[in-house]
Amino acid sequence: MSNRKRKPLPPEIEVEIEGLTHEGRGLTHFDGKATFVDYALPGERVRMRYTRLQRSFDEGLAVEVLRVAPDRVEPRCPHFGICGGCNLQHLDPAAQIRIKQETLADVFTRIGHVSPAAWLPPLVAGHWGYRRKARLGVRYVVKKGRTLVGFRERGTPYLADLRRCEVLHPQVGERLVVLAEAIDHLSIRDQVPQIEVAMGDGPCVLVFRVMAPPSAADLDILQRLADDHGFHCYLQEGGVETIRALPGHEVELHYDLPKVGLRMVFAPTEFTQVNLELNRLMLDQALDLLDPQPDERVLDLFCGLGNFSLPLARRAGEVVGVEAEEGLIARATANARRNGITNARFETANLYADLTDQPWMRGQYHKVLLDPPRTGALEVLDWLPRLGVQQICYVSCHPSTLARDADRLVNALGYRLVSAGVMDMFPHTAHVESMALFERVEV
């Protein structure tokens, strides 16, 4: 065990905030060293308290704003600054989306060595109550004598003491105390580590992770919670295969896509976009950009439960969706059947492995929809020219990997970046979702 003492933190100082990092923190330099300052905005002068010293950078917290930026607003949530669920509520929403667009432009230039021929208008929906999927932490705190339900404190492993959440759908966000009080009365209150929230256009499902079997009295408490507040309660005693609804609580979750006449069904723990209103705008834009025609074949890679595949199939001649998770492929196939779609089929494959022998690789495709995880789609890009792909719509949840993949597509594989823009899937956070269109350059 080391006896070395931790270096004491310097005293508070006044600094000028030069910019905002991609993580939403103010950036300043002091004595030539970069310092990241929580809750400070570009153009502000703040009194900063150091919170951490590193070799190449320091970290701090704005304890007083001496000169206020014009884009600063009063946070709507009383827990802002403590809860780690949001970090940009002090920044005007219009400025948030502007900075996200600047972030995307920066990584395209710095990492991708590319620039779009045109910028798409940002996609923006409602700023509050938008989250319909979430994983809430649960903890019985002995010192407080009660249970906490919500998100973790910023920068700590502890749960924030929340009374409400402004970004969760009101069905849940306005009832955090109700949930906490119900768990307080369970005999296994210290054996419930999390609640999974899932809802689409209809009912709200709560999946309670339980580390010990609930008693009959516990089940009665959950039943009353459901009856009083309109929840459907499920239990999860192990892996996802153990999830089961309480008697009479089983419900079919779904979201509708009225412009293309689709109803998408999903299970509580299956991946869907958290922001339903923005998802609809995103699908509209993807369809407009790819503009699939009745004589075209479209490949949807990382297709999930068919969120893009089935809308594309309403216009294209044929759509093939590929996804690694067998359960999602089964769900996509069932959604196609439910909606009367016969020109879409779905295949299971690890898209980060060798695809040479995959049967769906034997045909040619006119267009591709890419919707990869944060790690990006680099491993599949080299296949696209061989498949005859002329257009690629790339939906990204991480701008740096999109920029890296754009570099490969444009500077090595013969595509050009036609257009790109950001989507405000997670307002009041620094998370950047974006969409880009690539076209094959004619030789």
Side-chain angles (χ1 to χ4, degrees):
M1 183 175 178
S2 174
N3 292 321
R4 186 175 62 182
K5 292 183 179 180
R6 181 176 295 179
K7 186 177 178 181
L9 296 175
E12 293 181 0
I13 58 172
E14 293 184 13
V15 294
E16 297 280 342
I17 304 301
E18 306 157 16
L20 204 66
T21 71
H22 293 176
E23 294 76 34
R25 309 171 82 186
L27 171 65
T28 189
H29 289 80
F30 188 73
D31 286 342
K33 191 176 185 182
T35 302
F36 305 127
V37 187
D38 288 331
Y39 312 120
L41 297 176
E44 292 187 332
R45 184 172 183 82
V46 304
R47 182 176 298 280
M48 183 197 80
R49 182 176 71 239
Y50 281 95
T51 56
R52 194 176 183 188
L53 304 179
Q54 304 275 28
R55 177 171 297 180
S56 57
F57 64 90
D58 293 330
E59 297 176 275
L61 173 69
V63 295
E64 184 182 1
V65 180
L66 305 172
R67 184 178 66 244
V68 179
D71 291 326
R72 178 177 284 273
V73 296
E74 187 68 25
R76 177 165 167 173
C77 178
H79 307 295
F80 180 72
I82 299 173
C83 175
C86 300
N87 63 344
L88 288 178
Q89 280 196 29
H90 60 311
L91 181 62
D92 181 77
Q96 291 181 31
I97 197 68
R98 185 186 71 240
I99 287 173
K100 291 177 182 183
Q101 191 96 340
E102 291 170 358
T103 296
L104 184 61
D106 172 63
V107 295
F108 271 145
T109 300
R110 187 167 44 83
I111 298 174
H113 314 291
V114 295
S115 181
W119 284 102
L120 300 169
L123 294 186
V124 179
H127 299 122
W128 304 105
Y130 64 85
R131 288 204 66 154
R132 293 169 185 254
K133 293 290 290 290
R135 180 170 294 169
L136 303 178
V138 179
R139 181 76 180 269
Y140 177 74
V141 181
V142 175
K143 290 184 178 180
K144 291 180 179 286
R146 57 187 173 87
T147 297
L148 303 182
V149 174
F151 300 108
R152 297 191 186 281
E153 292 180 354
R154 183 171 173 82
T156 83
Y158 305 111
L159 282 185
D161 191 348
L162 306 182
R163 312 302 292 175
R164 59 187 291 123
C165 175
E166 300 292 345
V167 297
L168 282 174
H169 188 279
Q171 171 77 1
V172 179
E174 295 178 357
R175 293 178 170 85
L176 296 182
V177 173
V178 168
L179 292 175
E181 289 176 346
I183 294 171
D184 258 342
H185 289 89
L186 299 179
S187 68
I188 57 168
R189 65 186 180 187
D190 58 348
Q191 298 292 314
V192 184
Q194 72 181 40
I195 302 172
E196 195 97 14
V197 178
M199 64 185 304
D201 277 317
C204 177
V205 165
L206 302 178
V207 182
F208 292 82
R209 180 77 170 95
V210 292
M211 309 302 290
S215 66
D218 293 337
L219 297 179
D220 286 342
I221 291 169
L222 295 179
Q223 183 64 58
R224 286 197 299 273
L225 172 71
D227 291 343
D228 292 344
H229 300 284
F231 295 125
H232 292 257
C233 296
Y234 287 52
L235 298 178
Q236 181 181 356
E237 297 174 336
V240 293
E241 72 282 355
T242 68
I243 294 175
R244 59 185 174 86
L246 295 185
H249 284 234
E250 189 165 0
V251 67
E252 184 177 85
L253 291 171
H254 72 273
Y255 60 91
D256 292 331
L257 303 174
K259 284 192 176 181
V260 287
L262 293 171
R263 170 162 290 191
M264 307 294 289
V265 172
F266 62 98
T269 56
E270 289 176 342
F271 175 80
T272 58
Q273 298 290 352
V274 304
N275 190 329
L276 181 55
E277 187 180 356
L278 200 287
N279 183 56
R280 291 183 177 122
L281 296 176
M282 177 176 70
L283 291 173
D284 290 345
Q285 180 168 273
L287 286 173
D288 288 345
L289 292 177
L290 276 183
D291 191 23
Q293 299 299 308
D295 61 344
E296 292 179 333
R297 298 184 77 223
V298 181
L299 184 62
D300 180 8
L301 299 180
F302 310 95
C303 69
L305 51 72
N307 187 53
F308 287 98
S309 310
L310 300 188
L312 288 166
R314 287 295 198 210
R315 299 190 189 178
E318 182 186 6
V319 174
V320 177
V322 186
E323 163 67 44
E325 190 177 328
E326 291 183 2
L328 287 175
I329 288 297
R331 180 68 66 186
T333 302
N335 275 326
R337 186 167 54 248
R338 170 186 292 272
N339 287 282
I341 291 177
T342 59
N343 63 331
R345 62 184 175 89
F346 297 92
E347 305 281 350
T348 303
N350 177 3
L351 292 167
Y352 296 112
D354 183 11
L355 302 175
T356 304
D357 296 327
Q358 293 293 326
W360 50 270
M361 289 286 290
R362 295 172 190 151
Q364 294 281 291
Y365 298 90
H366 299 88
K367 297 171 181 180
V368 163
L369 190 292
L370 293 176
D371 185 16
R374 289 174 61 86
T375 47
L378 187 63
E379 290 80 356
V380 304
L381 299 183
D382 285 14
W383 292 103
L384 303 185
R386 305 178 209 179
L387 294 173
V389 173
Q390 297 299 306
Q391 283 188 318
I392 303 163
C393 181
Y394 193 132
V395 181
S396 168
C397 60
H398 195 271
S400 294
T401 53
L402 169 60
R404 178 204 65 193
D405 292 353
D407 182 22
R408 182 68 183 167
L409 286 168
V410 173
N411 297 317
L413 297 177
Y415 292 86
R416 69 186 184 97
L417 179 53
V418 178
S419 58
V422 295
M423 306 179 293
D424 205 12
M425 185 70 74
F426 293 87
H428 310 298
T429 78
H431 185 87
V432 180
E433 298 255 348
S434 55
M435 186 179 293
L437 180 68
F438 299 86
E439 286 185 354
R440 191 78 190 275
V441 177
E442 297 295 336
V443 179

